[in-house]
Amino acid sequence: MTVYQNLIGGVWQNSESSRRVPNLNPADSDDVVGEVPLSTRAEAEAACAAAAEAFKAWRAVPAPKRGDLVTQAARLMTERTEQIARALTREEGKLLAESYGELGKTIKIIEYAATEGRRLNGATIPLELANNFGYTIRSPLGVCALITPWNFPVALPSWKIAPALVSGNTVVVKPSTLSPETGRLVVECFVDAGLPPGVVNMIYGSGSEVGATLIDHPATRAVSFTGSNEVGNDVYVRAARRGIRAQCEMGGKNPVIVMEDANLDLAVAGTIQGAFGSTGQRCTATSRVVIMDQVADAFLEKLVAAISTWQVGNGLREDVHMGPCIDANQMEKVLGHIASAHADGAELLYGGTRLTDGDLAKGYFVAPTIFDRVQPTMRIAREEVFGPVLAVLRVDSFDQAMTVANDVEYGLTSSIYTGNLNYIFRYVDEIQTGMTHVNSPTLGGEAQMPFGGMKASAVGPREQGSETFDFYTETKAVYIDYTGHKREGRMY
Ligand code: NAD
């Protein structure tokens, strides 16, 4: 039985903790992939200390050279794609094609970050003072704690590790205990690329112990977190108490708006992909359709016809369209949301049950589920389900569609289906999400675009990409006085 090891100061080592949780294949809980240690606080502290020690030398490595090492990690990930994709499907449950997709995107993200090592520019700024030169440089922060969820265990750690390292930071990665194997395979790509010991560390454990310890450690200067709103809000407060940087990418309740003139076939295809692809276990998943009543029946007829062709099963099988929920807890949570939708009076159109036929009984499978006539006040319209459940809300006007779409506490992503230019431009202005799509699903994001909900600090392709690097670096303002004499007058 594989017991996952922590990586501290360049040495893979067993945790001294005897507390462990099994890593189960969610499509077949008889298949125990490994055991994850719940490491101790002392081990988390040791990982931060190792990262702090390694930072002293790593920060002095020129940024283009740091980028070259990160490029090498992308090469190794390319070579190891099949191994990592299979491990991902086995422990997370997504389809093999989806795993390959995640790997492909991740490699682009790493390559993009790596080349930024050659563009970590500062600025030269004209000064009022004669014979003085003003400029800025970007300095690394120090140790960054990188805390990630289970659903994109290749992309999300890489999205954090690569820019953090190129910026000159050292990192401690805390993957989710639900997808530990892929976490290790990802970190191995960086380590095997030739990074000095201690530049990347990884520690397994619970969020409340290990995660919190990483944030509280005196050497930690920034935390990049991706996960649920509940945890993310705590992480933010915890980081603020120490005055360190925090970046929290959290949940979604993402709407698709379908207007009366929409191409319904296109809208159906995009909604199915958005709602049920990856079993709805994506922060960018479509969980609400806000639709003009006059086209709702036609849309839903096509939607149900399309989803009823889907096979649910083990993601390693080629004929399968949708895999399982990640674990028993998540499955129960999804079933709880379905029960609450029933209780609140939503109309079940499709699915709504756990699937237990044959081999499915060994896994955590829930049928793709569609509820019609959902009201904005119902729980199913307001809370993130993070599973294959779609709520349909009928509206009578564009204005009502916008009100309903914006009436949630989440603001990650969204989409509209229409050919009407007025609708499109008004929608883009009024929708309160950080990412939005027109005539395509709520999914998708490219490495060089800002991620949803993050502030867009500047326009233009170069500046957009550098947003990530704004987080992982701090700006130092430098004044060089070449007058050679004492400055007259008061100084402010
Ligand atoms: P989660 O919030 O339960 O856990 C995320 C990570 O935080 C895990 O590594 C966990 O161990 C750790 N953690 C838990 N408690 C902690 C604490 N008190 N202090 C520090 N760390 C702690 O999320 P999850 O169930 O793993 O993932 C699903 C969630 O992630 C969904 O809400 C989804 O929308 C969100 N998500 C968001 C994005 C995005 O980019 N916005 C991407 C993927 C997933």
Side-chain angles (χ1 to χ4, degrees):
M1 175 65 57
T2 304
V3 179
Y4 300 104
Q5 293 186 310
N6 293 322
L7 175 66
I8 302 176
V11 181
W12 291 98
Q13 49 197 270
N14 292 325
S15 170
E16 62 199 21
S17 165
S18 55
R19 290 182 303 148
R20 292 180 191 160
V21 289
N23 177 23
L24 303 180
N25 178 342
D28 175 2
S29 56
D30 289 346
D31 179 20
V32 183
V33 185
E35 284 196 345
V36 195
L38 298 178
S39 305
T40 62
R41 286 182 207 277
E43 287 166 325
E45 284 166 358
C48 291
E53 185 57 32
F55 177 64
K56 294 174 191 162
W58 180 244
R59 65 172 301 161
V61 175
K65 289 210 157 56
R66 296 193 298 248
D68 289 346
L69 286 168
V70 169
T71 300
Q72 179 58 12
R75 284 197 197 108
L76 292 177
M77 194 174 281
T78 307
E79 284 169 24
R80 299 174 189 179
T81 287
E82 185 177 352
Q83 181 199 9
I84 302 174
R86 288 194 169 272
L88 173 53
T89 291
R90 186 174 168 207
E91 73 179 0
E92 202 272 352
K94 64 181 70 178
L95 307 185
L96 198 52
E98 291 170 337
S99 294
Y100 276 110
E102 182 174 343
L103 262 296
K105 176 172 174 173
T106 303
I107 290 161
K108 286 185 191 153
I109 290 167
I110 300 174
E111 286 171 344
Y112 175 79
T115 56
E116 286 293 285
R118 297 185 182 275
R119 288 184 290 263
L120 273 185
N121 308 331
T124 58
I125 299 169
L127 297 179
E128 291 176 22
L129 299 164
N131 292 340
N132 271 255
F133 179 48
Y135 68 102
T136 64
I137 56 169
R138 287 172 182 268
S139 296
L141 304 171
V143 177
C144 298
L146 310 181
I147 301 176
T148 53
W150 48 265
N151 67 326
F152 280 95
V154 178
L156 293 171
S158 303
W159 218 324
K160 299 177 191 302
I161 297 171
L165 297 188
V166 171
S167 300
N169 304 292
T170 55
V171 302
V172 182
V173 183
K174 196 208 92 54
S176 167
T177 49
L178 291 171
S179 45
E181 170 104 20
T182 27
R184 174 175 65 82
L185 293 171
V186 165
V187 163
E188 274 178 357
C189 292
F190 285 92
V191 171
D192 295 350
L195 293 172
V199 169
V200 173
N201 305 272
M202 182 170 67
I203 186 118
Y204 291 104
S206 83
S208 54
E209 278 183 71
V210 162
T213 303
L214 299 183
I215 302 167
D216 287 346
H217 193 277
T220 302
R221 294 286 316 282
V223 53
S224 180
F225 165 88
T226 302
S228 63
N229 280 33
E230 298 72 33
V231 175
N233 290 337
D234 282 351
V235 164
Y236 201 70
V237 170
R238 202 168 192 110
R241 248 188 250 131
R242 289 201 49 236
I244 62 173
R245 283 192 188 180
Q247 178 187 56
C248 294
E249 294 169 341
M250 305 190 280
K253 189 74 194 167
N254 312 303
V256 161
I257 296 179
V258 182
M259 294 307 297
E260 69 279 0
D261 68 318
N263 175 336
L264 291 188
D265 291 322
L266 191 64
V268 163
T271 302
I272 291 229
Q273 201 184 351
F276 305 116
S278 298
T279 322
Q281 299 180 129
R282 287 195 265 224
C283 59
T284 54
T286 305
S287 65
R288 294 179 294 152
V289 171
V290 179
I291 187 163
M292 292 293 283
D293 193 38
Q294 66 207 83
V295 290
D297 289 341
F299 172 86
L300 290 172
E301 194 178 317
K302 287 173 185 282
L303 190 71
V304 169
I307 198 60
S308 53
T309 64
W310 273 39
Q311 293 286 330
V312 178
N314 189 324
L316 288 170
R317 276 179 33 197
E318 292 212 335
D319 57 340
V320 157
H321 298 84
M322 192 182 97
C325 297
I326 181 71
D327 68 356
N329 283 339
Q330 189 61 25
M331 180 182 71
E332 291 304 332
K333 189 178 154 213
V334 171
L335 293 172
H337 278 285
I338 291 173
S340 91
H342 277 299
D344 287 344
E347 190 180 300
L348 181 69
L349 279 192
Y350 192 81
T353 53
R354 181 179 177 185
L355 299 175
T356 51
D357 283 354
D359 281 350
L360 296 185
K362 292 185 183 172
Y364 310 119
F365 295 97
V366 174
T369 296
I370 303 169
F371 280 102
D372 188 12
R373 301 192 186 277
V374 171
Q375 297 304 315
T377 51
M378 292 179 185
R379 200 176 142 215
I380 197 70
R382 310 202 70 78
E383 294 180 15
E384 184 181 49
V385 176
F386 222 58
V389 181
L390 183 66
V392 179
L393 297 99
R394 295 173 179 237
V395 291
D396 291 318
S397 66
F398 175 81
D399 288 338
Q400 195 190 356
M402 293 309 301
T403 302
V404 168
N406 283 332
D407 182 24
V408 285
E409 65 166 297
Y410 299 92
L412 186 49
T413 182
S414 54
S415 133
I416 191 168
Y417 283 86
T418 180
N420 181 319
L421 266 185
N422 297 344
Y423 285 156
I424 292 171
F425 280 93
R426 277 193 59 198
Y427 162 81
V428 170
D429 281 347
E430 293 173 27
I431 192 74
Q432 292 164 13
T433 62
M435 264 194 287
T436 197
H437 300 261
V438 175
N439 291 321
S440 59
T442 52
L443 315 171
E446 297 197 11
Q448 69 282 11
M449 287 281 280
F451 195 69
M454 281 176 60
K455 123 182 118 62
S457 52
V459 287
R462 154 80 188 112
E463 286 79 5
Q464 286 174 344
S466 75
E467 218 176 54
T468 305
F469 290 86
D470 289 344
F471 177 76
Y472 287 110
T473 58
E474 59 194 358
T475 298
K476 192 175 284 173
V478 186
Y479 294 80
I480 307 257
D481 184 331
Y482 53 96
T483 58
H485 55 71
K486 180 174 169 290
R487 201 185 300 167
E488 298 304 325
R490 288 176 72 107
M491 293 183 65
Y492 294 98

